Amino acid sequence: MNHSTPATNRSAYPAPTPPDSLTYQDFLLQNPMEGSLKIQASRAQKALPTSDVEIFILQQFYDQRVLFFRGKTDADGLIDNIILPAPPRLDSLQSADAGQGALYRVYADHPDFLPESYEIEIFEGITSILPVVMQLPQENEPWQ
């Protein structure tokens, strides 16, 4: 996986990146519940599902970098039911940080397309859906 090429940075939900001082253990203590993620990979302005897109879900913490998931999309461009740590639902609804779930960085990689990068929040008991749009290298070039 080569991410030296600048990847597109799109956020499914606007949210701050976790502080660099947060350890992995602190993250797990703040996110003792589970939420899920569904990936929908496509190309051609979301018209065609894209199979074999390699998905990496990770986060950099103060003490370590953690890979939460690695897998490839199926023939329909889907990966369903990726279970990830999430904060308790009550905390995400009533705390001073209301609406903030656990934040994850998602990378999409395929040999025929440009790498993509996203951020997504996960909430307890909710399936978040992340549309991953793959682009061919020439799709970024202006028309001649």
Side-chain angles (χ1 to χ4, degrees), residues 10-138:
R10 295 182 215 139
S11 293
Y13 305 97
T17 302
D20 291 339
S21 62
L22 186 67
T23 66
Y24 179 52
Q25 186 61 36
D26 289 340
F27 175 81
L28 292 177
L29 289 172
Q30 291 176 11
N31 297 286
M33 308 311 285
E34 294 180 340
S36 64
L37 176 63
K38 179 178 184 175
I39 303 288
Q40 296 178 326
S42 62
R43 63 182 188 270
Q45 298 180 356
K46 299 183 184 181
L48 301 171
T50 306
S51 63
D52 295 321
V53 175
E54 192 163 19
I55 299 294
F56 300 87
I57 301 172
L58 53 93
Q59 190 57 272
Q60 178 68 46
F61 298 100
Y62 176 73
D63 56 343
Q64 61 186 304
R65 184 177 181 179
V66 177
L67 177 65
F68 288 95
F69 176 84
R70 180 179 181 175
K72 289 188 177 186
T73 58
D74 64 16
D76 295 320
L78 302 174
I79 301 176
D80 204 0
N81 205 31
I82 301 168
I83 304 298
L84 297 166
R89 184 184 316 228
L90 191 58
D91 289 354
S92 66
L93 295 175
Q94 296 181 355
S95 73
D97 295 327
Q100 291 190 354
L103 186 66
Y104 294 91
R105 172 74 59 186
V106 179
Y107 294 97
D109 198 34
H110 190 287
D112 297 335
F113 301 95
L114 294 172
E116 299 290 338
S117 173
Y118 300 84
E119 283 185 347
I120 190 158
E121 283 184 276
I122 300 297
F123 298 89
E124 176 193 1
I126 295 176
T127 299
S128 298
I129 300 173
L130 180 63
V132 172
V133 180
M134 303 304 293
Q135 294 182 14
L136 293 168
Q138 65 269 22

